[in-house]
Structure formats: C-alpha cells, structure tokens
Amino acid sequence: MHHPTLSSALRHPRTQMRRFAAEPPTLSTLPLPTWAGLVGIAVGVSAVYGASLSLRFPRWRPTGGALWLALSAGLGWCVFGPTLLLVTRRNALTCAHACLVTMAYGEAVLVSGALANLLQAHTPRHNQVDPLRFNLATVGLSNVVMATVLALQLRELGVPARTTLLLWMVALNGSGALFFQLFQQVLQQETTA
C-alpha cells in the first residue's frame, strides 16, 4: 500500500483517492503521520482563525472565538462523517482521508482570513473593510473550496458530485449552523465575564 506524505496528499488528492479505490486502507495501513499532520492543520488553523475574530470584533475574546469555531466545525464533521458513510457506503478510512484533506484546503482559506484580520486590526479605521462581511465571505469561500475538493475526491470513488454536495449542505452545514448557534453561548458568556 502506498503511504501518502502530507505534501503528496495535498498536492494530488484525486490520485490518492484512485489508489484508495483500488486498495482501500485498513487500520494497519493507515498513513498515520499524514493524518496527524492533517488533523493538526484542521484544529490549529480553525483555532487561530477563531481567535483572530477578536481582532475585528472587540467584544470577543480570543479563547472564546477559537473554541466557538473549533467546537462547532469539529462537531459538524462528526455528524457529516457517519452520514457520508451511511449514504455512500464507501470505505470509512478512505472517506476519513478525503475529509481530512478537504479540511486542509478549507483551512488554507481561513489562515489567509486570520492574516487579513491581523492586518486590518492595524489599518486605520477609514481604510478597513467591514469585519462582518469580510469574515462571512472568508468562511463562505472556505466552505465552497472544501465542498469542491471533497466532491472531486469522492467522484474518484464513484460518488456523484450532486450526492456529495447535498450531504455537504444538509449534514455538515446544517449541523454546523446548529452548533454555531449553541456554542455562541460560550462566546457570549466569556465577553460578559
């Protein structure tokens, strides 16, 4: 079994899916170092982006923003993963790999958004872009990038793009929105403390 490096998994995600389709991974053949890197990217960048929101929204605190985003997104993926397996009936480890790669692509957008939030915080107020619109656009772009990357990967496994995108909108975005609402309480409690 070919073990992808972090670099090759990100540069050639569709090729990796073709390899997994031909020879699905097992627990003993998992690319654990690659997965550890992908999990680190997902958790770390989500936390950094969430914390960067405090730079643009003064009432927010870095810890609350980081927790809000990481918990909401993480739990959304916990709903999405089993739903994806139930509907597509594909190898669980192959789907997990596709999802981890997908998250890394979305995090590339979010890390750019975090950097922009930092730069905007040090820009004269009259030259700043609207923080709400900018950050909604950042999260929206990240979402589109991830949905596209996942649909392209899963198409290599014979899953129609429309199926992937429907599951994405209902299971991931739907549950993610609910978790965002729920965990907003964490953020509000921290700002009033």
Side-chain angles (χ1 to χ4, degrees), residues 55-69:
L55 298 170
R56 302 301 313 280
F57 301 97
R59 293 189 53 208
W60 292 14
R61 299 289 171 256
T63 304
L67 281 173
W68 184 40
L69 194 63

Side-chain angles (χ1 to χ4, degrees), residues 37-115:
L38 292 168
V39 168
I41 290 169
V43 173
V45 174
S46 288
V48 166
Y49 176 73
S52 81
L53 294 174
S54 69
L55 298 170
R56 302 301 313 280
F57 301 97
R59 293 189 53 208
W60 292 14
R61 299 289 171 256
T63 304
L67 281 173
W68 184 40
L69 194 63
L71 286 173
S72 301
L75 289 173
W77 281 98
C78 290
V79 170
F80 178 69
T83 305
L84 181 66
L85 295 177
L86 197 79
V87 172
T88 67
R89 303 213 182 279
R90 297 306 188 267
N91 177 281
L93 300 174
T94 300
C95 288
H97 182 82
C99 288
L100 288 170
V101 169
T102 295
M103 285 185 243
Y105 274 82
E107 299 303 333
V109 176
L110 294 183
V111 79
S112 299
L115 180 59

Side-chain angles (χ1 to χ4, degrees), residues 148-165:
T148 302
V149 169
L150 186 63
L152 289 171
Q153 288 180 90
L154 294 184
R155 194 164 63 183
E156 299 296 331
L157 302 176
V159 178
R162 67 183 171 276
T163 300
T164 302
L165 297 175

